[in-house]
Amino acid sequence: MENEIKVVLFGLGPMGKMIAKGMLEKKGLTVVGAVDILKDLVGKDLGEVLELGKNIGVTVTDDAEGLISRIKADIAIIATRSYLREIYPQLTLCIKAGINVISTCEELSYPYYKYPELSAEIDALAKRHGVTVLGTGINPGYLMDTLPIVLTGACKYVDSIRVTRIMDSSKRRIPYQKKIGTGLSPEEFRKMIDEKKITGHVGLVESIAMIAAALGWKLDEIKEFPPEPVIAEKEIVTSYITVKPGYVAGLKSFAHGIKDGKPVIILEFISHAAVKEEYDAVSIEGTPRIHEKIAGGVHGDLGTVAVVINMIPKVLNSEPGLFTMKDMPLPSTVGEDVRVYLRWRKT
């Protein structure tokens, strides 16, 4: 088949590298550019950065504007930051160049709640330049929002939804373990939470807002509680650090969507190195009641790579504008050649 889908990558941290490798495994996708600010990566061939044992002819650059001005790309994958204002320059650079965008930025998964004016601006800009913008990943983007929304499709009525994700953080990449405070003392953990040096999981608010919007619920408020440390009872060895008893093994994060004074959407995110059972669960109180449990849970990093790649043809098939996962066709895996799923190409 001809007409390869041309991809430009922003961000080659651990997650960005996994996405890049996933792209190179799929027929129909061609990486035409890669951007990162890390000096150790700039000037190197992407194949070397990914430790492929060969060069692929794409040199990593820290000059995003220069790269975008000299290449043609169909879609950009932005895997750099969690907060919308931090990726805004990269986002608008791509949009103005007529490049569609998928980003793992958690706040972009449902930006309308926190940033209604900025969301309207991005939507208008995308429509003006004929491109589609989507924020997604495994969470937010799938497990704690899209999946519960789809499960309500079998309900006549829904009273409340509880979503629980329990993960063994010792298996995750090192930046993630740092992000949840692994190895800190309880005092250090609380201090770094107060100073916002540890954010814990980002995206619970966005997931609740997306679920509420899909169900047509007008919430009184969305209440996110401060992350709570999980303290190790015995020594735990992870790929990052050895956690001593009495020190932080990870965290718990909770958020509630409140309607008529009661929590009707409850999200529980639990991630630490002492987890005994990993799972993802959705419990819907309604008619009928539904309880879904994925034993063993879904691997967060592999799942993020999959969702990002699987949404590429759906984004390219979409009308221009800013979209969330609730607005897109149902997510599904793509086969060996991504181009099979394209209906038409934006110009």
Side-chain angles (χ1 to χ4, degrees):
M1 294 179 68
E2 298 179 354
N3 298 322
E4 293 265 322
I5 299 168
K6 298 177 179 63
V7 183
V8 59
L9 305 171
F10 283 73
L12 293 171
M15 194 70 252
K17 288 178 182 176
M18 290 184 68
I19 293 172
K21 287 182 178 178
M23 296 279 174
L24 296 173
E25 293 170 0
K26 291 286 186 180
K27 286 184 179 179
L29 296 179
T30 297
V31 177
V32 295
V35 179
D36 199 281
I37 60 173
L38 190 63
K39 297 303 181 185
D40 291 345
L41 302 184
V42 175
K44 291 184 178 179
D45 187 272
L46 183 60
E48 180 183 356
V49 171
L50 300 179
E51 299 179 343
L52 300 180
K54 63 178 181 180
N55 288 348
I56 63 172
V58 174
T59 302
V60 178
T61 180
D62 58 0
D63 180 9
E65 292 186 8
L67 176 67
I68 296 302
S69 69
R70 65 176 182 267
I71 66 167
K72 288 189 176 182
D74 298 298
I75 192 160
I77 307 300
I78 300 177
T80 52
R81 301 284 185 172
S82 297
Y83 301 102
L84 179 55
R85 293 196 184 279
E86 294 181 349
I87 72 157
Y88 182 77
Q90 301 164 344
L91 190 62
T92 54
L93 174 66
C94 294
I95 293 172
K96 291 176 181 178
I99 301 172
N100 301 280
V101 177
I102 294 177
S103 176
T104 59
C105 172
E106 287 93 331
E107 286 193 334
L108 188 62
S109 67
Y110 195 85
Y112 303 99
Y113 179 75
K114 288 182 181 176
Y115 308 103
E117 294 180 1
L118 189 59
S119 298
E121 179 185 322
I122 294 169
D123 181 58
L125 189 66
K127 287 175 178 174
R128 188 155 64 246
H129 292 275
V131 299
T132 300
V133 176
L134 176 70
T136 193
I138 198 67
N139 183 39
Y142 185 80
L143 285 172
M144 299 187 82
D145 35 50
T146 303
L147 181 59
I149 289 169
V150 171
L151 288 173
T152 66
C155 299
K156 291 175 63 180
Y157 305 102
V158 174
D159 299 316
S160 65
I161 298 172
R162 178 186 295 269
V163 186
T164 303
R165 179 158 169 77
I166 298 184
M167 301 168 46
D168 180 357
S169 63
S170 68
K171 302 175 183 178
R172 296 293 300 275
R173 61 192 186 276
I174 289 174
Y176 176 82
Q177 293 185 50
K178 290 181 179 179
K179 181 180 177 180
I180 62 171
T182 308
L184 297 177
S185 69
E187 294 75 23
E188 289 172 326
F189 179 90
R190 293 187 180 91
K191 183 174 185 291
M192 293 183 76
I193 286 288
D194 291 341
E195 294 174 352
K196 300 190 182 300
K197 292 180 180 178
I198 293 177
T199 57
H201 177 67
V202 179
L204 294 181
V205 167
E206 285 72 21
S207 291
I208 287 176
M210 189 193 303
I211 293 170
L215 300 185
W217 287 357
K218 185 175 181 180
L219 299 178
D220 302 335
E221 65 172 323
I222 297 176
K223 187 172 184 180
E224 185 172 23
F225 300 88
E228 300 174 8
V230 175
I231 306 302
E233 297 179 358
K234 60 182 181 180
E235 186 175 283
I236 305 169
V237 179
T238 80
S239 58
Y240 163 53
I241 198 170
T242 297
V243 183
K244 299 176 182 178
Y247 283 70
V248 175
L251 54 73
K252 299 178 180 179
S253 292
F254 305 94
H256 293 173
I258 311 295
K259 182 173 179 282
D260 298 328
K262 299 178 181 179
V264 293
I265 304 173
I266 301 169
L267 302 190
E268 303 171 323
F269 179 87
I270 302 166
S271 182
H272 57 86
V275 165
K276 295 179 180 178
E277 181 191 9
E278 292 186 281
Y279 65 85
D280 291 290
V282 179
S283 296
I284 301 172
E285 293 297 326
T287 308
R289 297 174 66 190
I290 292 176
H291 179 72
E292 170 270 343
K293 181 177 180 180
I294 303 174
V298 177
H299 192 288
D301 293 345
L302 295 177
T304 294
V305 173
V307 172
V308 167
I309 293 175
N310 291 336
M311 293 308 296
I312 288 175
K314 298 183 189 298
V315 165
L316 295 179
N317 286 336
S318 179
E319 296 289 336
L322 171 62
F323 291 91
T324 71
M325 288 293 282
K326 79 173 183 62
D327 309 309
M328 302 297 289
L330 288 176
S332 56
T333 190
V334 299
E336 192 174 347
D337 195 318
V338 179
R339 293 167 294 182
V340 169
Y341 303 88
L342 293 182
R343 292 198 304 268
W344 56 280
R345 304 289 293 278
K346 303 185 187 75
T347 57

